[in-house]
Amino acid sequence: MGPEAIGTGVTRKQVFAWGLWDWGSAAFNAVIVTFVFSVYLTDAVGDDLPGSISASTWLGWSLGASGLLIAVLAPVAGQRSDATGHRRRSLAFLTAAVVVVMAAMFLIEDRYQYLWAGLALLGIGSVLFTLAEVPYSAMLRQVSTPANVGRVSGFGWAMGYFGGIVLLLVCYFGFIVGDGDTRGLLGLSTDGGFNIRMVALVAALWFAAFAIPVLVAVPELPRTEADPGAAQAGFFASYGVLWQDLKELWTADRRTVGFLFASALFRDGLAGVFTFGAVLAVNVYGIASSDVLLFGVAANVVSGVAALAAGRFDDTLGPKTVIVASLVAMLVAGGILLVVSGPVAFWVFGLLLCVFVGPAQSASRTFLVRITPTGREGQMFGMYATTGRAVSFLAPTLFGVFAWLFASDRAGIVGLLVVLALGLAAVLPVRAPERDYRREPSSV
């Protein structure tokens, strides 16, 4: 199969298998990084850590170091998977490595001596997971056609949201809920953090099980000559190839560079909405701490449904229209949140804000697919990961600056809106993909 045929023979089975990886990968994003294991490290394992540096600070430094490694490694890793024709092999290896790291978290007991090993596993897992996302996202072109890439991407994002919700509920009711020495419906002991360690093990098995279908159903990418010299270059020489490619890209099509910059900005703003949503819900709008998980579930549901629905607009109107409309709507909803108060208002306008996160994320991925030369998807998604990491400090920093300047967590919303506005301003001049989506028949 030549490069021109990639995606033309895709089946529904392959699309579903590809989406299952997103469903399974939520085990790392939602359970390990966001809601369970990282909280276990800071609130339990490192709770009595000696010294003046808190476990939360060490966590931040650990994830910061992993972000630096990702920024350095992602473009070359994607480039090499393209050039060698080993995209599926790369995805299999990196996914398996993430699963092993997650399973190893079962060994982290509730004692501060285990904090360093836990932080190391979390940092290594973050690097491996983000590198795995590069060949996975690059496969989007293999499992879609130009006429339905928006719907396929939206389906993947929705599967990720819903998979996270299902697994979180399973873990919460099965292993976490309750008080005393045993927790959850399974009555697991809390001694040494056993119940949380079991969550890590279950999450690893969950990811492994749902990652298998894409490795079976989607064939390996044929090797191409889209990036001459990349296949023969060694690891360090690959950076020279990458630099040459970037210079050629800047000369031939600055739109790609402009979009990578713009998307890095607004993706950081989108991430900030979920990062600080719980803080704002409790500290500003008076939502009970026990209800935050319910809001989180609702936020993921509306984002997933919206991503799925917006895929059709992506395919008919183009990804730029979806991105711009989503960012404008988020700025309006965020502006309203600045002046309203109370739990009901947050449920209404907070969820309205979340409605547009999924569509913007999904359309960002399809925009890059549509403008990337065939055979260089991995390299471009590696750059996508790198640019995202390069500005990932912006939303948290501006949230903190505005909250500090006005001595109010509510004012932190302004910081998030500033990042979203900068992303919108940066993406507006970027030329949309030229294809007329309405005239191309869809086979899936």
Side-chain angles (χ1 to χ4, degrees):
M1 183 173 68
E4 69 280 354
I6 293 175
T8 57
V10 65
T11 65
R12 292 180 184 273
K13 177 182 176 181
Q14 290 174 324
V15 173
F16 186 68
W18 180 80
L20 283 178
W21 192 94
D22 251 325
W23 174 283
S25 71
F28 187 81
N29 272 331
V31 174
I32 300 299
V33 176
T34 305
F35 289 109
V36 182
F37 190 75
S38 61
V39 176
Y40 169 66
L41 286 180
T42 56
D43 289 355
V45 178
D47 183 48
D48 54 351
L49 181 69
S52 58
I53 302 177
S54 70
S56 296
T57 300
W58 284 113
L59 173 65
W61 289 346
S62 173
L63 294 178
S66 69
L68 179 62
L69 280 174
I70 291 165
V72 172
L73 296 174
V76 167
Q79 175 194 73
R80 293 182 68 80
S81 71
D82 288 341
T84 59
H86 292 158
R87 184 175 294 170
R88 184 173 65 173
R89 183 186 299 181
S90 297
L91 179 62
F93 172 78
L94 291 166
T95 300
V98 175
V99 169
V100 170
V101 169
M102 292 168 69
M105 292 175 182
F106 175 78
L107 303 175
I108 306 302
E109 297 183 15
D110 184 4
R111 289 187 286 165
Y112 75 82
Q113 291 90 344
Y114 285 84
L115 177 64
W116 317 115
L119 291 175
L121 288 172
L122 189 62
I124 293 170
S126 296
V127 173
L128 293 170
F129 180 79
T130 305
L131 292 181
E133 286 185 308
V134 172
Y136 172 73
S137 295
M139 278 184 171
L140 176 57
R141 178 169 277 168
Q142 292 172 251
V143 297
S144 65
T145 68
N148 69 6
V149 62
R151 278 167 285 170
V152 173
S153 179
F155 171 71
W157 274 109
M159 289 288 279
Y161 282 122
F162 297 146
I165 293 168
V166 172
L167 184 57
L168 277 174
L169 292 176
V170 168
C171 292
Y172 179 73
F173 289 108
F175 305 93
I176 299 173
V177 69
D179 297 306
D181 295 333
T182 59
R183 301 291 177 86
L185 298 177
L186 298 178
L188 296 183
S189 171
T190 60
D191 185 39
F194 179 74
N195 63 319
I196 302 299
R197 291 156 53 202
M198 280 299 297
V199 168
L201 192 57
V202 169
L205 294 173
W206 177 280
F207 192 8
F210 290 108
I212 292 173
V214 70
L215 302 176
V216 175
V218 181
E220 185 64 274
L221 179 75
R223 182 172 173 175
T224 72
E225 296 300 324
D227 196 9
Q232 290 74 36
F235 178 78
F236 292 104
S238 295
Y239 287 95
V241 177
L242 176 64
W243 177 246
Q244 185 62 37
D245 289 344
L246 289 176
K247 289 195 295 184
E248 293 176 0
L249 188 65
W250 178 255
T251 301
D253 187 6
R254 296 188 182 183
R255 168 177 57 179
T256 304
V257 178
F259 178 72
L260 287 171
F261 172 72
S263 72
L265 288 173
F266 69 71
R267 283 185 288 136
D268 189 43
L270 299 176
V273 170
F274 276 101
T275 300
F276 296 102
V279 174
L280 293 168
V282 175
N283 295 344
V284 176
Y285 297 94
I287 289 181
S289 298
S290 58
D291 291 337
V292 170
L293 181 61
L294 295 177
F295 181 83
V297 169
N300 278 274
V301 168
V302 298
S303 293
V305 171
L308 196 61
R312 292 192 174 275
F313 293 100
D314 187 317
D315 289 330
T316 55
L317 303 177
K320 181 177 177 179
T321 300
V322 174
I323 293 169
V324 170
S326 297
L327 294 178
V328 170
M330 291 182 74
L331 288 171
V332 172
I336 294 173
L337 276 174
L338 274 173
V339 298
V340 298
S341 298
V344 174
F346 187 79
W347 272 96
V348 173
F349 294 104
L351 287 181
L352 182 61
L353 195 67
C354 293
V355 163
F356 298 98
V357 173
Q361 289 174 321
S362 178
S364 179
R365 184 163 63 181
T366 63
F367 193 115
L368 187 59
V369 166
R370 293 187 190 276
I371 63 175
T372 295
T374 299
R376 293 176 64 176
E377 296 87 358
Q379 183 188 66
M380 288 299 101
F381 275 103
M383 290 301 302
Y384 189 73
T386 292
T387 52
R389 290 288 175 172
V391 302
S392 60
F393 67 92
L394 198 56
T397 299
L398 287 183
F399 181 92
V401 166
F402 278 91
W404 171 70
L405 284 175
F406 295 94
S408 167
D409 285 347
R410 181 191 292 267
I413 297 174
V414 177
L416 301 181
L417 296 181
V418 167
V419 178
L420 291 173
L422 289 173
L424 175 61
V427 82
L428 283 174
V430 178
R431 191 174 78 257
E434 293 82 3
R435 188 180 302 278
D436 184 350
Y437 310 100
R438 293 166 295 182
R439 296 178 183 175
E440 217 170 327
S442 172
S443 61
V444 179

